């Protein structure tokens, strides 16, 4: 696939010098990721494409505008191999504003969060808003909506039919992370149908195969997906690369894998063609303070990767991974996404060109981003039934006495893994009583149209000491999840989120401490990074006040409690979920 | 584009070990062109595809057949990035028999020789016969039939319509060498229409841009083609690689470019992703004695390229160049084209696997090749009118006296370049007389259906001292070309080739010395390599008897005399051609 020039004939004339180019960037050291060289050059741009790279005649400038590169390095614009924009909690437009100054000119985005809430409408929104942005937001079509069929009700179900329909989007780049690797290895119908429809179209298929190795890895690869961003260990990276899998080494706000991957492969391999870089989920705060893909590149270099190779991993290699021929390098007929950097080890861009236009300079945007008005940005997606305190009370047939309950227990404060334990509780007047400060009630309430399913459960070692913590970010179905001490606190939190369209809310002693409003699909704020950071900082402080303190990021504790692809037991709107055996477990033993 | 498994579901089961694979190749050192490593492995094959590469469990063999690799290196099957099978003078089937023992399992072939004679029928033949062969003969659709429109009549004219129609062939790999680079740079309609139709389909576009550099190179690249096999000089290779052009370094029977290219780039570049290897035109004799792509790989290594990189240039890099994802490496889901070699520097395969089947061992085919009967193989394509001696006499209006003639003079014995000189000749009874033993008459007679055009001319320093040399290989329109001393000799040669369906014929003193019969389109013999070599040796000896001796390959002297894309003046059936200015020159000044 090539990104087509708007007018090829005119581009060719500009190449030849028959007409002036729009821009020439002079006085630069070109970093050539195709040959591994660095040399002086002038780069001509016409209508968003590179028309010519001049390495000899530096005197005759045939362009309307001249940009003096001041002897800096010119490198291709960075490509994020896998990202969920929703995880930044920003709209695609505000996300663009946040990451462009760091040199991310292209993202391969998987809008599966919003797809689980808003279905196709959500994907269309994420795609269409990209039309107005000075960055390339490519759309991988979500493959697993919901993550596991039958164990949860999300806002949409994507079969091969929906996936095929969405693949016609102009900026569709492929199929997004095929998370249901068990479904692939077992050749379950839904996954095979989706894989086959996209493979027939010749589109690339993004994988997601944590710890899948050996014969299972071979099976997964033969299924059609050939990338993985879930690699955490060097040995796993080596095996996947050897087997022809693209490894998208990830430094997200949740995991930092680049260190281990580079350390684990650099003494073995000499060719890095299949290594790419990604951020997956990175919050506004971390983007603003550390950077985006350029931070991942920097980390790879610090771990011993040659700077040109590291830059190639975030440019040309990724373009190849996603089958785009004329992206990721600085050469004639390539798109003119380029960065000027002073230092190849720090990779902080002093100028960012997207499609040949200067969009950011010295860490600041220099163009305004104006987008259309999208109705979805003003739609309340909280279709939660009228709730009462009574809805949050776990009742049993026993009037008074004891009852044995299946409890979801967190393995540790640093893990999303949860195990099943059985505990005995007092029952008073049919109501189950908590008897340990490390135990809390949990409710998962379906918040999507045409569903009113709801589950109550008990969790252990979640981390809060008191109050209620509620969230509409609850991967991947994004139902309303609340961990709480009293029904009253729970109801307060639930209603606060219903009114504002979703978000995260902390309640203590019948008082709302803070609500991080995420009105766009209950996932994203409409605020820009700088304001969102203030808001999210307040939210973290409020969560700290609930006693959840010994944790890297308190915002992320609750968001995986419903995710039925993380071991071993989760909660959905349909009940307790045995993840490994893909079945629903009763609350009472 | 992926080469699809016949039954993906079964392949996945074999990967998983649920069902037995067809074959396991054990006890090998796997050369991994993705990571640049060499390590022990067992490779499982199912239904032509690699099902699994085992690097740990070497005991449990889950396959119907075990092949002991005896500790040798297992490398991917070689891919020839650009070849005209017709130039081997063998049918595609005999070509396969000749090259498979040397490890060429895939060729990207441009059937533009036969297309110029037989049109679409010729391309269909070259494609369809490939269905029965144990090698992957991919078809690039000829882009320049004829080479230059309006200056010659060939057997067919391909416009965008014909090219588009042929692009639906199952094994169509892209658009073949876009030779009319002047037409591209000038944006002539025929070339732009053809480029655009293939670019829209996302197919790769093979280039051909000898000495095209600087802004013209940029223009050509923006036009859509991004490969070149015409690079002869290191500096040119470097500029093309830097500009994102694939360089298909070529060692053909005509030119040997690999030496200069590797020497010219190896001290500059560190990344070889865009370097590929090809043979373009290699005769049966050279294939049999030296090898095929493996000989080019060996030459690259002798010039200093690391063996793994050299192998990658003839496998994975080429697969990428032609947009095939699962070819050119040994990994699950890749096609099972593999070679066992004892020595990574000599790269002589002791076993050749095509689609997981052993097809050659120790330099010999071990499978029979049976093809269907193709009518084209029995069709005489020599549609030459009834000729008489008189047709070969150059006449003028002057009865007796002098006349000034535009003469085609060869620059040297080692060059196909010809220049225009003007010479004075005696005229006797209206007939032009030759006055120098270095001068010969030349005739170009259209041999295609519905044409009866013919040109007479005079050539200087062609090399023959006497007799007539005739050929129906006459790039690219492949008309009947004869260089001769007397009309009688010329007529004898012409008639000999008419009868046998074409070929090369030498006549001396009214006697046929030898005819190399090429009945298939006047381009190819039906003989296998071993017999063809005997025949072509006799032909060379016969040409030597005409006095053409100081030349590397006497067969090739005549074949470029009509090629209107080689400087500076050529002869076609329509007249003398001014190549640079694309116009016809009169014979008489």
């Amino acid at each position: 696939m090539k990104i087509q020039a708007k007018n090829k004939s005119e581009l060719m004339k500009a190449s030849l010098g028959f007409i002036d180019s729009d821009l020439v960037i002079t006085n630069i050291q070109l970093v050539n990721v195709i040959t591994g060289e660095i040399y002086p050059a002038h780069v001509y741009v016409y209508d968003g494409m590179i028309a010519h790279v001049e390495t000899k005649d530096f005197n005759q400038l045939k362009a309307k505008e001249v940009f003096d590169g001041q002897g800096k390095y010119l490198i291709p614009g960075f490509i994020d191999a896998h990202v969920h924009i929703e995880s930044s909690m920003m709209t695609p437009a505000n996300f663009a504003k946040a990451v462009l100054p760091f040199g991310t000119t292209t993202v391969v985005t998987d809008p599966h969060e919003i797809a689980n809430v808003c279905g196709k409408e959500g994907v269309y929104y994420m795609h269409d808003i990209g039309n107005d942005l000075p960055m390339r937001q490519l759309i991988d079509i979500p493959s697993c909506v919901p993550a596991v069929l039958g164990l949860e009700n999300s806002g949409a179900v994507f079969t091969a039919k929906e996936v095929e329909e969405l693949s016609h989007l102009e900026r569709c780049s492929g199929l997004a992370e095929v998370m249901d690797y068990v479904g692939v290895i077992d050749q379950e119908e839904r996954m095979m149908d989706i894989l086959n429809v996209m493979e027939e179209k010749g589109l690339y298929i993004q994988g997601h195969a944590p710890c899948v190795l050996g014969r299972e890895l071979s099976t997964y690869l033969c299924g059609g997906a050939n990338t993985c961003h879930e690699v955490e260990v060097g040995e796993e990276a080596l095996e996947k690369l050897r087997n022809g899998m693209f490894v998208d080494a990830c430094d997200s706000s949740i995991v930092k894998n680049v260190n281990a991957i580079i350390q684990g492969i650099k003494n073995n391999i000499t060719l890095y063609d299949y290594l790419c870089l990604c951020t997956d989920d990175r919050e506004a705060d971390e983007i603003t303070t550390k950077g985006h893909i350029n931070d991942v590149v920097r980390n790879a270099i610090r771990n011993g990767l040659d700077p040109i190779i590291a830059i190639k991993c975030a440019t040309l290699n990724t373009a190849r991974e996603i089958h785009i021929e004329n992206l990721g390098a600085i050469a004639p007929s390539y798109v003119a996404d380029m960065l000027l950097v002073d230092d190849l080890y720090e990779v902080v861009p002093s100028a960012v060109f997207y499609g040949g236009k200067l969009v950011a300079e010295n860490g600041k945007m220099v163009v305004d981003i104006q987008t259309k008005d999208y109705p979805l940005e003003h739609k309340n997606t909280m279709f939660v039934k009228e709730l009462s305190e009574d809805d949050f009370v776990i009742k049993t047939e026993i009037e008074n006495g004891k009852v044995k309950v299946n409890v979801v227990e967190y393995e540790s404060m640093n893990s999303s893994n949860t195990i099943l334990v059985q505990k005995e509780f007092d029952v008073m007047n049919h109501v189950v009583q908590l008897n340990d400060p490390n135990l809390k009630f949990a409710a998962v309430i379906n918040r999507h149209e045409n569903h009113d399913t709801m589950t109550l459960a008990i969790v252990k070692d979640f981390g809060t000491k008191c109050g209620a913590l509620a969230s509409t970010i609850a991967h991947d179905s994004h139902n309303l999840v609340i961990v709480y001490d009293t029904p009253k606190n729970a109801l307060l939190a639930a209603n606060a989120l219903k009114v504002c369209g979703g978000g995260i809310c902390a309640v203590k002693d019948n008082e709302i401490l803070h609500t991080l409003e995420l009105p766009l699909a209950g996932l994203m704020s409409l605020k820009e990074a700088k304001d969102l950071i203030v808001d999210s900082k307040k939210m973290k402080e409020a969560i700290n006040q609930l006693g959840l303190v010994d944790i890297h990021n308190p915002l992320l504790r609750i968001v995986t409690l419903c995710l039925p692809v993380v071991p071993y037991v989760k909660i959905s709107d349909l009940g307790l979920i045995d993840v490994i055996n893909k079945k629903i477990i009763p609350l009472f033993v």
Side-chain angles (χ1 to χ4, degrees), chain A:
Chain A
M1 177 161 59
K2 259 186 197 172
I3 297 168
Q4 293 298 324
K6 281 180 218 126
N7 186 328
K8 185 159 118 175
S9 173
E10 295 289 303
L11 172 62
M12 289 171 72
K13 285 180 196 161
S15 295
L16 205 49
F18 269 20
I19 60 172
D20 277 355
S21 286
D22 297 328
L23 169 73
V24 58
I25 306 174
T26 64
N27 190 18
I28 56 99
Q29 293 290 320
L30 189 145
V31 176
N32 193 317
V33 292
I34 293 169
T35 61
E37 299 170 283
I38 298 174
Y39 49 82
H42 286 186
V43 177
Y44 287 86
V45 176
Y46 185 83
D47 217 1
M49 314 296 280
I50 294 167
H52 178 57
V53 178
E54 183 60 60
T55 55
K56 293 185 180 90
D57 178 7
F58 288 168
N59 293 317
Q60 284 214 345
L61 297 176
K62 287 172 171 293
K64 290 172 203 146
E65 194 191 330
V66 178
F67 190 98
D68 182 356
Q70 300 179 318
K72 294 177 186 176
Y73 298 103
L74 189 73
I75 67 174
F78 289 130
I79 308 170
D80 191 336
H82 173 67
V83 63
H84 306 283
I85 289 178
E86 301 98 314
S87 294
S88 73
M89 298 186 214
M90 290 183 280
T91 64
N94 287 329
F95 173 83
K97 283 182 203 171
V99 302
L100 274 168
F102 295 105
T104 307
T105 47
T106 298
V107 287
V108 183
T109 174
D110 171 11
H112 79 186
E113 314 301 357
I114 198 169
N116 269 286
V117 178
C118 306
K120 289 189 284 184
E121 188 189 0
V123 179
Y124 287 126
Y125 163 73
M126 298 297 275
H127 176 268
D128 293 349
I129 195 171
N131 297 338
D132 302 323
L133 302 178
M135 84 176 293
R136 205 172 307 284
Q137 295 187 353
L138 304 173
I139 307 283
D140 275 358
I141 309 305
S143 65
C144 302
V145 177
V148 184
L149 208 58
L151 297 185
E152 53 186 334
N153 286 324
S154 67
V157 175
F158 281 7
T159 65
K161 183 176 163 290
E162 285 77 19
V163 169
E164 200 283 331
E165 186 181 331
L166 290 166
S167 73
H168 295 278
L169 286 172
E170 192 189 334
R171 270 177 289 101
C172 165
S173 38
L175 184 65
E177 52 174 332
V178 180
M179 293 189 298
D180 188 5
Y181 56 85
V182 177
V184 175
I185 293 163
D186 292 348
Q187 297 195 40
E188 285 176 10
E189 195 179 346
R190 174 174 79 136
M191 287 323 303
M192 294 315 293
D193 285 351
I194 289 174
L195 284 168
N196 292 341
V197 77
M198 295 300 261
E199 205 168 49
E200 271 165 34
K201 288 171 170 281
L203 290 167
Y204 104 100
I205 297 175
Q206 186 176 69
H208 162 118
C211 305
V212 176
L213 293 168
R215 282 190 172 274
E216 294 200 335
L217 176 60
S218 299
T219 311
Y220 187 75
L221 286 164
C222 287
N226 72 336
T227 82
C228 187
H229 52 266
E230 294 292 330
V231 176
E232 297 192 352
V233 185
E235 202 180 342
E236 183 180 351
L238 189 61
E239 179 165 338
K240 286 183 169 168
L241 290 171
R242 283 176 168 186
N243 280 285
M245 191 171 224
F246 281 92
V247 169
D248 298 336
C250 180
D251 274 351
S252 74
S253 289
I254 305 164
V255 293
K256 305 288 178 205
N257 298 333
V258 171
N259 193 325
I261 290 173
I262 303 295
Q263 294 296 332
I265 61 175
K266 69 178 181 183
N267 296 324
N268 291 282
I269 74 174
T270 55
L271 299 171
Y272 288 86
D273 299 23
Y274 282 54
L275 183 67
C276 303
L277 303 174
C278 76
T279 64
D280 203 351
D281 308 287
R282 198 172 260 228
E283 284 182 40
D285 190 13
E286 185 168 9
I287 292 170
T288 308
T289 52
K290 292 175 67 184
H292 197 242
I293 276 289
N294 72 322
D295 177 54
V296 187
V297 172
R298 186 189 305 130
N299 194 21
I301 296 169
R302 285 191 184 153
N303 278 284
L305 205 58
D306 172 81
I308 297 181
I309 299 290
I311 291 166
K312 181 171 177 261
C313 289
T315 56
L316 186 63
N317 286 2
T318 317
R320 273 183 191 153
E321 176 185 50
I322 62 173
H323 298 189
I324 302 186
E325 282 176 72
N326 57 343
L327 181 69
I330 299 171
S333 84
Y334 279 63
V335 295
D337 298 353
M338 296 174 280
L339 319 174
L340 279 171
V341 299
D342 288 276
D343 181 331
L344 281 187
Y345 290 78
E346 290 300 318
V347 283
V348 176
S350 62
V352 178
F353 296 88
Y354 169 74
K357 286 209 169 55
L358 183 71
V359 293
E361 239 181 330
N362 302 314
K364 305 272 179 224
M365 291 296 292
V366 295
V367 293
D368 262 355
I369 292 184
Q370 301 286 349
T371 63
K372 289 198 206 100
D373 192 54
Y374 289 90
L376 196 63
E377 291 183 352
H378 312 293
K379 177 180 173 181
N380 189 324
T381 61
M382 293 292 290
F383 296 92
V384 174
K385 63 177 179 184
E386 189 75 23
L387 293 164
S388 68
E389 283 185 35
D390 202 43
D391 289 316
F392 294 95
V393 175
I394 300 181
K395 290 177 187 162
T396 166
E397 284 172 3
I398 301 160
E399 193 173 339
N400 288 290
K402 303 251 181 215
V403 69
K404 212 168 190 179
V405 175
N406 282 315
V407 169
V408 178
E409 179 176 326
Y410 275 84
E411 276 190 356
S412 77
M413 284 308 286
N414 299 316
S415 171
S416 305
N417 285 3
T418 41
I419 55 170
L420 188 70
V421 294
Q422 299 187 337
K423 290 203 170 287
E424 206 169 59
F425 293 87
D426 290 331
V427 179
M428 287 171 61
N429 201 17
H430 293 288
V431 174
V432 175
Q433 309 289 320
L434 295 189
N435 51 9
D436 176 343
N438 294 321
L439 291 165
K440 289 285 168 290
F441 295 113
V444 178
I445 305 160
N446 193 298
R447 69 174 179 97
H448 305 299
E449 257 179 307
N450 307 321
H451 292 288
D452 61 359
T453 38
M454 174 173 174
T455 292
L456 296 180
I458 297 175
V459 294
K460 185 169 184 293
D461 298 338
F462 173 74
T464 53
K465 303 292 169 211
C466 60
L469 178 61
S471 176
T472 57
I473 304 180
H475 296 287
D476 282 333
S477 287
H478 302 297
N479 284 312
L480 172 60
V481 55
I482 314 173
V483 174
Y484 58 97
D485 54 357
T486 66
K488 195 166 187 177
N489 282 334
L491 181 63
L492 206 53
N495 283 333
L497 293 182
K498 265 182 77 172
V499 170
C500 72
I504 300 174
C505 179
V507 173
K508 187 179 172 185
D509 299 335
N510 309 326
E511 197 181 314
I512 294 173
L513 297 177
H514 190 71
T515 304
L516 175 63
E517 296 185 3
L518 303 171
L520 175 50
L523 300 170
M524 288 169 270
S525 167
L526 299 180
K527 291 177 181 171
E528 288 191 29
K530 66 176 173 21
D531 300 322
L532 177 61
I533 290 166
V534 175
D535 204 1
S536 95
K537 188 161 176 252
K538 278 185 195 159
M539 192 67 241
K540 286 175 188 175
E541 286 164 0
I543 298 172
N544 289 157
Q545 286 183 53
L546 301 185
L548 190 57
V549 284
D550 297 329
I551 191 164
H552 170 63
N553 187 340
L555 288 186
L556 300 177
R557 184 63 167 176
I558 198 165
V559 302
T560 57
L561 183 54
C562 301
L563 186 59
V565 291
V566 171
Y568 292 92
V569 61
K570 297 292 167 196
I571 312 168
S572 86
D573 60 318
L574 299 179
L576 294 186
I577 308 295
D578 175 344
V579 172
I580 304 301
N581 298 303
K582 289 191 177 182
K583 63 178 192 188
I584 293 172
I585 311 166
L587 179 63
F588 297 113
V589 181

